[in-house]
Amino acid sequence: MNSNLQSYLNSTISSAPLAVFRIGFGLMMCYGMIRFWAHGWIESLYIEPSFHFSYYGFEWIKPLGHFTYLLFITCGLAALFVALGYKYRIAIIIFFLSFTYIELMDKTTYLNHYYFISVLSFLMIFLPAHKRFSVDSYASAKAYVTTPRWTLDSIKLLLATVYFYAGLAKLNSDWLLRAMPLKIWLPSKYDLPILGDLLQLSWMPHAFSWSGMLYDLFIPFLLIYKRTRWLAFGLVVIFHVLTRILFPIGMFPFVMIVSAMVFLDSSVHERILSFLKKRIGFMHTYFPKKEITPTSYNGGEQPAAAIAVVSFILFLQLAIPFRYLFYPGTLYWTEQGYRFSWRVMLMEKMGNAQFKIVNKETGKSFYVNNTDFLTPFQEKQMSFQPDFILQYAHYLGDHFAAQGHKNVQVFVDANVALNGRLSQPFIDTKTDLYQVKESFQHKNWILPFHDEPK
Amino acid sequence: MKKHLLFLLAACTIASCDTDSESVAETNADSFNRKALLEHTADNIIIPAYQDLAADLATLENSVTAFTANPDNNSLLTARTAFFEAYLTWQYVEMFNIGKAEEILYAFQMNIYPTNITDIQNNITAGSYNLSSPNNNDAVGFPAVEYMLYGKADTDAAIVAIYSNGTQAAGSKTYLNDLVNQMQGLTTTVLNDWTGSYRNSFVNSTGNSATSAINQLINDYIFYFEKGLRANKIGIPAGVFSNGALTTHVESYYNPAQSKELAKKGLQASVDFFNGTSYNDAPAGESFANYARTLRTNANSSDLTLAINNQMESAKTKLATLNPNFREQIAADNSQMTLTYDEMQRVVVLLKVDLLQTLNINVDYVDSDGD
């Protein structure tokens, strides 16, 4: 092995940032689960719908009826255990599995930041984030004051990838020249105090588009470079707080702000830990004070295996967003290779899809009332995403065939508007979708898009 | 280090205050006056239409009282004329399912069809009923009155006979009067709310939230166009959602000769509301047509208002070619009904997809996080 690489892998840094990150991550995720429940979303998104949109290859993952609540409880508790650093390895594995299961239940709710959390929690399985300021550390009476440099760097690299790829995705004519979709989104926030009027200025969408693009592309470097680190962190806070004010994006801004703290100097984290330590001093009434031996962490029992897995995940993150290059057509239109690529809040797309059930022999037909089968949210998401349309067409075909309809064909008349262009026909109305199989192949029944962004 | 951060935050706050004070005057120029839209809609469309409906229902009440006091061919025809006049006016208010109308489920008690003649007959026989019960939604309102005036027998003479010397003459008279009184009462409740306190809270509710009046208004309008107009009046009777046509679902089933009239009014009311055409004599005012035009011009997007109006015009043209009697049209050539439905569906696409995208309103039915 290259000696530079070897010395990098052997080098260590303070373990405080990793411990602080673990605590912040666990607490936020635990809160996220409670918040999700409190909004009634477990019921409305997973229990009420009679039909769920699955990911290709994961059709076997379904909501569990009322046991879905148990799934969220498990996930929330696992997150809390992660924060406490109690049975960390098991806790983070359970968190990863339950969280990812939740996300795979219905792709209607797909969000990049949920995907980010799945990837991040998988990564964390291989990081020794519980070796300091944790129950595990207390129990073993050992605290590792240092950790291999790569453990923290892997989180930094994942974050940098998210930002940088989000920035790359913004390098297109719709975003930069037409200032779309911000030209639609920003003026509609007219009712915000102070900001509402400012957002009406005609140059504002362009200013937001360009600064958003520059922010995403350069913030990783500004965070890494020591002299600009605090400035960059300030920008992170401002940027995410602003997006929180402008858009309904839930926890994501806070997740990013807390995550970005890993870039800060470890002295900050040491201070946070000593602050926390004072706060929980009362615990010693219940748990006797122990002499905890500070040691240096060597990377665990299987450092090479962990490094290999972590490298592989990070490599995948760099590669997966480019899979769209294998598909013909306009990415925004066909969305083939759109997800899992950090294309965050990039387009304004809406559709309307009217399905027709035809008897192939008699030619008799009728339209489907989508509200009979889908929740409004599902219908909204289905109407402009081809893979949703296909899955729903099959569901309808099966449904009506089971009802005794003969020679069932399923056609759709779908129209979609993208970034303020007038709506256009989306799917070939002559393709019997019931005969089309889902695959990773190009979906040639998506009609070509006119006036594509460059 | 903390100082740096504080300084940065402070600098940004100061900067934003600066730009704010110098730009307010400028910004109002390119933002649309939503309050004017709501004022115009309330003062020149909704309230005058309700007033007209209330007046029509008062006329209907008089003529129905006269008819039940003295049932003959003349009084029956007078009552029918008054009835249909009110039914036409109703087409202008059905879309405004907002405020008190939404609260008291007004539309559910005014125009659910097909009406349920078994329920009506049972009510008459029982002699006691709660007309505002949800179970009676399909036994009240315009369709029920229509059945009482047009559908109780095959000929006018036979209908008059039912009210003058039928076995249930008294019960039928009472039921007919009760139906009209009920409609009047509900309409007065809604109208009084509008002319009372609601008008002011309505016109000031211009925010972009799921519950603001401006968003509710456009949501209700689009819902009406899709459901009340496109589906109920054309699509469902034409059988586009079922195996074969459902003639009994024609609006004005017992008075089929005028069924197209109602659909035409519903479509005209939709065109008028979109363009801010006043119901009273006032000139046209601010409208969603203007709102969309302003936003699309600001965003350098194509003219959506024109596209919507053109498509509405196509729907009107197609509708005009239909037989005035939808029952006959469905029996003779149902495909013409389907083609009319298709024209209306194209309007729905422009409203639900393009207009909602342009307005970027907070939709009331989707509640979850975005990216």
Side-chain angles (χ1 to χ4, degrees):
Chain A
M1 202 184 280
N2 184 311
S3 67
N4 279 342
L5 183 61
Q6 193 58 57
S7 69
Y8 167 74
L9 291 175
N10 288 336
S11 65
T12 57
I13 49 162
S14 159
S15 61
L18 200 55
V20 170
F21 177 74
R22 184 202 81 232
I23 296 165
F25 178 83
L27 290 179
M28 275 192 304
M29 292 305 115
C30 183
Y31 171 73
M33 292 298 130
I34 296 168
R35 174 178 174 270
F36 205 89
W37 188 332
H39 276 94
W41 290 340
I42 302 178
E43 195 73 25
S44 68
L45 296 177
Y46 295 116
I47 298 182
E48 274 167 17
S50 51
F51 166 70
H52 294 279
F53 288 98
S54 315
Y55 289 91
Y56 182 49
F58 293 93
E59 292 80 2
W60 49 279
I61 292 191
K62 298 248 182 279
L64 311 170
H66 286 283
F67 288 103
T68 314
Y69 281 101
L70 207 58
L71 188 61
F72 276 83
I73 293 170
T74 308
C75 191
L77 282 177
L80 188 62
F81 278 39
V82 168
L84 295 173
Y86 179 54
K87 308 266 184 209
Y88 170 80
R89 206 69 78 169
I90 298 167
I92 189 71
I93 289 172
I94 291 175
F95 177 84
F96 163 73
L97 290 175
S98 55
F99 188 89
T100 307
Y101 189 98
I102 290 168
E103 295 323 312
L104 289 174
M105 289 193 300
D106 194 331
K107 65 184 171 191
T108 309
T109 56
Y110 171 80
L111 291 181
N112 286 296
H113 82 256
Y114 292 152
Y115 172 58
F116 171 68
I117 284 161
S118 273
V119 174
L120 183 58
S121 59
F122 187 73
L123 179 67
M124 285 171 71
I125 295 174
F126 304 94
L127 305 183
H130 59 313
K131 298 290 185 184
R132 168 118 181 240
F133 205 76
S134 66
V135 178
D136 287 348
S137 156
Y138 172 83
S140 65
K142 262 196 266 179
Y144 295 111
V145 288
T146 59
T147 186
R149 180 181 286 275
W150 66 264
T151 58
L152 195 64
D153 280 356
S154 65
I155 297 175
K156 289 183 184 174
L157 184 59
L158 180 62
L159 276 166
T161 309
V162 173
Y163 278 122
F164 191 72
Y165 276 63
L168 283 183
K170 291 182 171 71
L171 298 176
N172 67 74
S173 60
D174 265 21
W175 186 271
L176 297 176
L177 302 181
R178 297 179 64 228
M180 280 290 182
L182 291 174
K183 251 192 172 150
I184 294 175
W185 290 343
L186 295 184
S188 77
K189 308 295 169 191
Y190 57 83
D191 55 350
L192 290 174
I194 302 170
L195 219 49
D197 279 338
L198 278 176
L199 294 174
Q200 303 306 319
L201 294 169
S202 57
W203 50 266
M204 210 42 114
H206 277 98
F208 270 70
S209 289
W210 282 81
S211 50
M213 178 271 291
L214 293 172
Y215 169 85
D216 280 342
L217 284 178
F218 292 108
I219 201 73
F221 305 105
L222 296 178
L223 281 166
I224 291 165
Y225 186 49
K226 202 174 162 94
R227 295 186 62 174
T228 52
R229 196 168 287 161
W230 275 106
L231 169 78
F233 190 70
L235 288 174
V236 167
V237 172
I238 291 168
F239 178 83
H240 288 294
V241 167
L242 199 58
T243 58
R244 180 71 185 79
I245 294 169
L246 290 175
F247 307 112
I249 48 179
M251 300 270 300
F252 183 60
F254 307 113
V255 171
M256 291 311 273
I257 291 172
V258 171
S259 301
M261 284 175 63
V262 297
F263 288 97
L264 298 181
D265 203 86
S266 61
S267 63
V268 177
H269 300 90
E270 297 286 0
R271 263 183 280 162
I272 293 173
L273 288 185
S274 62
F275 172 80
L276 288 176
K277 203 167 194 167
K278 273 181 219 147
R279 288 291 142 138
I280 60 168
F282 68 93
M283 300 280 281
H284 286 305
T285 349
Y286 312 101
F287 301 98
K289 233 180 176 146
K290 266 195 206 170
E291 202 53 51
I292 300 195
T293 327
T295 27
S296 204
Y297 185 61
N298 62 359
E301 305 75 26
Q302 303 282 336
I307 289 168
V309 174
V310 167
S311 312
F312 184 64
I313 306 165
L314 293 174
F315 166 76
L316 281 183
Q317 292 317 310
L318 296 176
I320 287 173
F322 284 109
R323 75 190 185 286
Y324 80 94
L325 293 171
F326 293 108
Y327 294 102
T330 312
L331 174 63
Y332 287 10
W333 189 245
T334 68
E335 297 200 37
Q336 299 182 118
Y338 189 85
R339 283 186 284 258
F340 313 118
S341 306
W342 317 121
R343 298 176 205 283
V344 186
M345 299 212 70
L346 204 53
M347 60 179 181
E348 169 57 47
K349 200 176 177 192
M350 280 178 88
N352 180 274
Q354 182 174 252
F355 286 83
K356 186 158 80 169
I357 309 297
V358 178
N359 181 325
K360 195 180 178 182
E361 297 300 310
T362 64
K364 283 202 156 195
S365 69
F366 59 91
Y367 291 126
V368 173
N369 190 352
N370 291 330
T371 53
D372 291 346
F373 302 97
L374 303 178
T375 64
F377 185 36
Q378 288 178 316
E379 185 182 1
K380 176 180 187 276
Q381 296 294 94
M382 177 274 292
S383 301
F384 63 86
Q385 301 186 70
D387 55 336
F388 283 64
I389 289 177
L390 183 61
Q391 198 192 341
Y392 181 50
H394 277 264
Y395 174 74
L396 291 175
D398 292 346
H399 172 86
F400 288 109
Q403 270 197 353
H405 291 267
K406 298 270 179 280
N407 313 308
V408 171
Q409 291 182 298
V410 183
F411 298 93
V412 69
D413 179 9
N415 289 276
V416 168
L418 176 62
N419 282 349
R421 294 175 184 82
L422 212 55
S423 53
Q424 299 174 23
F426 188 46
I427 304 291
D428 178 17
T429 51
K430 295 193 175 59
T431 300
D432 175 8
L433 294 176
Y434 200 34
Q435 298 306 320
V436 177
K437 297 268 171 291
E438 178 62 277
S439 72
F440 287 128
Q441 300 284 310
H442 168 56
K443 294 176 168 55
N444 54 15
W445 37 272
I446 304 172
L447 295 174
F449 182 57
H450 305 295
D451 185 22
E452 74 176 289
K454 304 283 179 278
Chain B
M1 279 179 207
K2 269 181 191 158
K3 270 183 206 151
H4 285 280
L5 186 59
L6 277 175
F7 172 76
L8 194 74
L9 283 169
C12 292
T13 321
I14 293 163
S16 66
C17 288
D18 255 9
T19 30
D20 177 44
S21 49
E22 68 195 48
S23 60
V24 171
E26 194 184 336
T27 54
N28 286 343
D30 62 345
S31 75
F32 181 80
N33 190 344
R34 281 161 287 268
K35 190 176 176 187
L37 187 158
L38 292 177
E39 283 171 340
H40 174 67
T41 305
D43 298 341
N44 297 321
I45 299 177
I46 299 182
I47 293 174
Y50 271 115
Q51 283 167 336
D52 199 19
L53 180 62
D56 286 349
L57 288 173
T59 311
L60 176 62
E61 194 213 359
N62 285 336
S63 59
V64 160
T65 310
F67 167 65
T68 50
N70 186 12
D72 62 21
N73 209 39
N74 265 342
S75 58
L76 176 63
L77 292 184
T78 310
R80 282 177 176 175
T81 307
F83 165 78
F84 194 70
E85 195 56 39
Y87 209 173
L88 284 175
T89 306
W90 163 257
Q91 306 299 325
Y92 278 90
V93 307
E94 187 173 322
M95 68 182 76
F96 301 116
N97 185 29
I98 190 168
K100 194 56 97 179
E102 185 184 23
E103 185 190 320
I104 66 170
L105 303 173
Y106 180 55
F108 283 105
Q109 304 184 64
M110 292 295 278
N111 197 26
I112 294 295
Y113 55 91
T115 197
N116 189 327
I117 55 177
T118 313
D119 284 359
I120 292 176
Q121 199 48 54
N122 288 345
N123 284 342
I124 293 172
T125 308
S128 75
Y129 33 76
N130 173 10
L131 292 183
S132 44
S133 149
N135 294 330
N136 274 327
N137 280 350
D138 58 357
V140 297
F142 285 103
V145 175
E146 177 193 291
Y147 167 71
M148 298 295 286
L149 292 178
Y150 295 85
K152 287 215 90 176
D154 288 338
T155 65
D156 292 0
I159 293 173
V160 170
I162 288 172
Y163 287 95
S164 47
N165 50 24
T167 49
Q168 291 188 321
S172 299
K173 286 176 184 178
T174 312
Y175 196 67
L176 178 56
N177 279 309
D178 287 350
L179 287 175
V180 174
N181 287 335
Q182 164 85 355
M183 291 159 75
Q184 255 194 309
L186 293 169
T187 304
T188 308
T189 305
V190 177
L191 176 58
N192 285 348
D193 194 48
W194 272 105
T195 51
S197 60
Y198 184 60
R199 188 262 178 205
N200 275 341
S201 68
F202 175 81
V203 302
N204 286 308
S205 180
T206 55
N208 189 359
S209 73
T211 51
S212 69
I214 188 128
N215 285 354
Q216 244 195 310
L217 185 65
I218 193 68
N219 270 325
D220 288 347
Y221 169 72
I222 294 174
F223 183 80
Y224 169 77
F225 198 98
E226 184 181 21
K227 187 78 175 62
L229 184 60
R230 179 203 66 143
N232 290 358
K233 292 187 201 303
I234 309 291
I236 291 173
V240 302
F241 299 108
S242 54
N243 267 325
L246 298 170
T247 314
T248 53
H249 287 62
V250 167
E251 191 181 28
S252 199
Y253 177 78
Y254 297 101
N255 172 28
Q258 290 179 296
S259 44
K260 186 171 85 171
E261 261 328 278
L262 296 177
K264 276 172 72 177
K265 276 285 182 230
L267 182 53
Q268 189 58 49
S270 306
V271 173
D272 287 352
F273 169 75
F274 180 65
N275 290 295
T277 308
S278 300
Y279 188 85
N280 58 15
D281 297 332
E286 279 302 6
S287 62
F288 279 97
N290 284 345
Y291 191 10
R293 182 165 278 144
T294 306
L295 290 173
R296 305 240 351 154
T297 307
N298 289 350
N300 300 322
S301 296
S302 60
D303 192 344
L304 175 63
T305 300
L306 183 70
I308 291 175
N309 276 327
N310 284 345
Q311 189 51 44
M312 294 247 209
E313 200 50 49
S314 301
K316 267 166 86 174
T317 308
K318 189 66 214 170
L319 182 62
T321 65
L322 298 180
N323 187 320
N325 182 330
F326 280 176
R327 282 169 69 173
E328 288 178 9
Q329 179 68 64
I330 291 168
D333 183 4
N334 190 31
S335 70
Q336 296 305 311
M337 291 289 282
T338 314
L339 289 173
T340 311
Y341 170 86
D342 291 343
E343 293 294 347
M344 289 186 171
Q345 167 63 17
R346 286 187 195 110
V347 180
V348 168
V349 169
L350 291 171
L351 295 178
K352 282 186 89 170
V353 177
D354 298 83
L355 183 62
L356 285 185
Q357 179 168 95
T358 302
L359 301 175
N360 194 38
I361 63 169
N362 260 319
V363 279
D364 47 7
Y365 52 78
V366 177
D367 170 35
S368 75
D369 287 341
D371 241 333

